[in-house]
Amino acid sequence: MVNADPLLRSALSAPPPAEHGLDALTLGRRIRELRTTRRMTLDSLATAIDRAPSQVSMIENGNREPRLSMLRTIATALGTTVDDLLKPEAPSERAALEIAVERAQRGPVFTALGLAKIRVSRATSDETLQTILTLHHEIERLHRERAATPEEARRANAQLRATMRARDNYFPELEEQALELLTAVGHSGGPVSHQVVADMATHLGYSLHYVGDLPHSTRSVTDKRNGRIYLPTAQSASRDSRTPILQAFASLLCGHDEPGNYADFLRQRVETNYLTAAILLPEKDTVRLLTEAKNLRRISMEDLRDAFSVSYETAAHRFTNLATARLGIPVHFMKVHESGTIIKAYENDSVRFPSDALGAVEGTTVCRSWTARTVFDVPDRFSPWYQYTDTPSGTFWCTSRIEKAKEGEYSVSVGVPFEHVKWFRGRETTNRAVSLCPDESCCRRAPDDLATRWAGQSWPAARTPTSLLAALPTGTFPGVDQTEVYQFLESHSPTH
Ligand SMILES: [Zn+2]
């Protein structure tokens, strides 16, 4: 490697422009490098392949992509093979640097600035090229960061939810991947133990390293170069020890690259969580259990949770993957902060979530009468909470449970339309509520007598909702301190 700078490193290993499937820049450099080692001039190579020198120059500069027949002629003239010319590596470290600078100058960010390109000559030092390249990448990083506005985040959220609804939140390709992995390590049913998960890591060529100094902004860090997954020695009591390992290699299995924007980041997070859940609650076993429960008319999130030793949230969320596609039950899911703010939401049962002008649900406040809110007032935190709610879009039955996290308490709720409650345990509940939201008179506007008494007589200081801050993404991996991660990897790396 020319330089240890991670920005530079990623630039040098950047994939070739996708439109050709062939990297004209690298190919051109390889041809030029061979020509000069053969002590051939541009003219003599041009004569040898029966083309004008200007055409050879275009190819060497990566401005034209030669056809295969021409490539063969060039290879013969240079005494090499087409395969050799098409190798993806730059012919030298210097050439790699020059290619990276050229690629940056051809990129959309630089082009948009309308500046003249810097012509790189032999006299340009490596240091100058490195500085130029680092500046390029910093500008690109700032662009990415600025593009990720809260509006973009909200739009991306809305779009993702629409995609999930269109697929009934069921991803067959990820189910397939989970099955392959479970089969590869010989898992034959039942809950997936920590050991099975560790075997999967080994099967994928990764070793697990438990360390005390994991960057505080991460759950795990994967060193792809050395095949290592770093995990915290201290597990928080509420977290499952299998989940961070699975999430670490789920990204690798899904083939995730560094997210290009916030939408990518969100999609990757959904896929990672999906694959993780599909491994912890294997499709076949889970569908069998749920089908039996459906036949006995006693589907229960608690039973699903206990059968696979997962959190309530994982069980409830997994239920939404399989409910419609495999059991024919439309469903909705919500994770709501104690403040009433929606953190996650999914529906394909026509329940009407509150939403903002951009169609985003996350960050909005849910009706006080909904199960996701009323559950906070129930003193018994052990028994499941059930409720029928009449809403302007129909009557829904929901079950909800509170889970504790660092940022406070959350309710996790699963609900179905009235006509599907017959399959669920808890349908006999007498808890009922009426919600008129989004009508303001429901719970958004204070009752008249209170309003008359207190209007203009109060001055509350707002507490900043954690969810709003979380919706403001910065950096390639929103919320992750990249420098800290690189320094961590550097200090733990077996090879320097
Ligand atoms: Zn309401």
Side-chain angles (χ1 to χ4, degrees):
M1 272 299 139
V2 186
N3 193 304
D5 177 356
L7 283 173
L8 199 56
R9 203 152 55 210
S10 69
L12 296 180
S13 60
E19 68 253 48
H20 306 303
L22 181 145
D23 178 7
L25 273 172
T26 305
L27 172 65
R29 292 305 159 124
R30 295 187 72 86
I31 293 174
R32 177 177 297 160
E33 191 88 357
L34 268 173
R35 175 173 65 73
T36 50
T37 31
R38 303 277 190 274
R39 297 181 188 288
M40 286 173 89
T41 61
L42 204 61
D43 284 349
S44 57
L45 177 58
T47 312
I49 65 166
D50 197 21
R51 285 289 185 284
S54 60
Q55 276 183 284
V56 177
S57 176
M58 294 269 277
I59 292 171
E60 288 191 353
N61 288 326
N63 291 326
R64 176 172 299 173
E65 195 182 300
R67 289 165 184 274
L68 189 61
S69 55
M70 160 105 71
L71 213 49
R72 281 200 202 100
T73 319
I74 295 173
T76 311
L78 294 172
T80 185
T81 61
V82 171
D83 281 350
D84 183 57
L85 291 181
L86 286 177
K87 277 185 186 158
E89 305 90 57
S92 65
E93 293 191 347
R94 167 72 185 197
L97 201 49
E98 290 182 9
I99 289 169
V101 169
E102 183 58 32
R103 189 171 286 140
Q105 296 202 96
R106 290 181 186 191
V109 173
F110 184 81
T111 312
L113 292 173
L115 294 173
K117 278 193 193 177
I118 291 167
R119 268 185 65 99
V120 177
S121 73
R122 236 170 269 188
T124 319
S125 73
D126 284 7
E127 288 70 34
T128 307
L129 290 180
Q130 278 166 8
T131 303
I132 292 170
L133 200 52
T134 307
L135 284 172
H136 269 290
H137 284 278
E138 183 58 14
I139 290 167
E140 277 165 22
R141 189 186 67 78
L142 289 172
H143 256 262
R144 265 206 310 271
E145 199 171 283
R146 210 176 52 184
T149 58
E151 281 73 19
E152 195 211 26
R154 295 211 171 93
R155 257 183 249 277
N157 261 320
Q159 219 158 42
L160 185 67
R161 204 156 17 75
T163 310
M164 287 160 72
R165 190 194 298 121
R167 303 183 66 169
D168 286 333
N169 205 19
Y170 179 71
F171 293 69
E173 66 280 11
L174 294 177
E175 299 288 355
E176 186 63 36
Q177 260 182 329
L179 179 64
E180 261 174 43
L181 199 54
L182 286 159
T183 313
V185 296
H187 178 72
S188 54
V192 176
S193 67
H194 182 95
Q195 186 55 50
V196 168
V197 170
D199 289 347
M200 286 178 180
T202 311
H203 170 73
L204 294 168
Y206 281 86
S207 54
L208 305 179
H209 300 262
Y210 290 88
V211 294
D213 61 341
L214 200 69
H216 73 278
S217 59
T218 63
R219 284 178 191 168
S220 73
V221 174
T222 303
D223 176 348
K224 297 210 241 180
R225 183 190 306 261
N226 298 300
R228 291 168 155 228
I229 297 173
Y230 294 101
L231 298 150
T233 37
Q235 284 289 345
S236 77
S238 63
R239 281 199 71 84
D240 188 325
S241 68
R242 302 164 297 177
T243 306
I245 308 173
L246 287 170
Q247 283 177 335
F249 60 68
S251 289
L252 303 166
L253 282 178
C254 293
H256 290 160
D257 287 325
E258 284 191 7
N261 53 42
Y262 190 63
D264 271 355
F265 170 76
L266 279 183
R267 183 185 46 79
Q268 291 184 358
R269 197 174 59 178
V270 164
E271 288 175 359
T272 303
N273 289 340
Y274 192 110
L275 188 56
T276 300
I279 291 170
L280 290 176
L281 297 99
E283 181 177 21
K284 215 174 88 194
D285 298 339
T286 310
V287 170
R288 190 192 305 126
L289 182 137
L290 286 173
T291 307
E292 280 167 17
K294 187 183 173 195
N295 292 338
L296 296 166
R297 300 187 168 225
R298 58 169 198 221
I299 296 177
S300 143
M301 296 308 118
E302 280 81 4
D303 288 352
L304 191 58
R305 172 196 66 188
D306 298 342
F308 293 95
S309 316
V310 291
S311 70
Y312 185 83
E313 184 180 344
T314 302
H317 198 265
R318 182 66 174 142
F319 179 70
T320 69
N321 299 148
L322 305 170
T324 312
R326 303 301 309 274
L327 304 167
I329 304 172
V331 68
H332 68 264
F333 169 93
M334 300 178 94
K335 183 176 180 184
V336 172
H337 185 245
E338 58 184 306
S339 63
T341 309
I342 298 181
I343 307 298
K344 278 188 203 167
Y346 164 76
E347 62 83 16
N348 69 349
D349 65 353
S350 303
V351 78
R352 195 156 150 206
F353 290 138
S355 75
D356 67 14
L358 296 167
V361 164
E362 292 79 4
T364 61
T365 306
V366 80
C367 176
R368 285 175 182 281
S369 301
W370 282 28
T371 315
R373 298 282 303 270
T374 57
V375 66
F376 285 106
D377 301 328
V378 180
D380 173 6
R381 293 281 163 101
F382 291 100
S383 310
W385 173 244
Y386 310 112
Q387 177 183 303
Y388 287 95
T389 312
D390 298 325
T391 80
S393 59
T395 298
F396 294 86
W397 171 93
C398 305
T399 178
S400 190
R401 181 168 281 275
I402 289 175
E403 296 210 314
K404 275 192 165 77
K406 237 186 10 251
E407 311 78 22
E409 291 187 328
Y410 293 92
S411 68
V412 173
S413 317
V414 168
V416 294
F418 184 77
E419 58 271 33
H420 286 278
V421 66
K422 57 188 175 205
W423 313 119
F424 290 81
R425 179 177 282 168
R427 62 182 172 278
E428 66 290 341
T429 183
T430 54
N431 301 321
R432 287 198 86 101
V434 176
S435 161
L436 299 175
C437 275
D439 188 331
E440 293 221 324
S441 67
C442 173
C443 59
R444 266 148 238 265
R445 206 169 54 208
D448 286 345
D449 51 335
L450 276 180
T452 326
R453 197 167 147 69
W454 289 104
Q457 300 297 320
S458 64
W459 187 261
R463 199 172 65 179
T464 312
T466 47
S467 57
L468 284 188
L469 296 177
L472 296 174
T474 59
T476 305
F477 296 94
V480 169
D481 185 337
Q482 197 88 318
T483 310
E484 206 184 1
V485 170
Y486 288 151
Q487 283 167 344
F488 167 83
L489 280 172
E490 203 60 31
S491 71
H492 280 272
S493 174
T495 54
H496 277 278

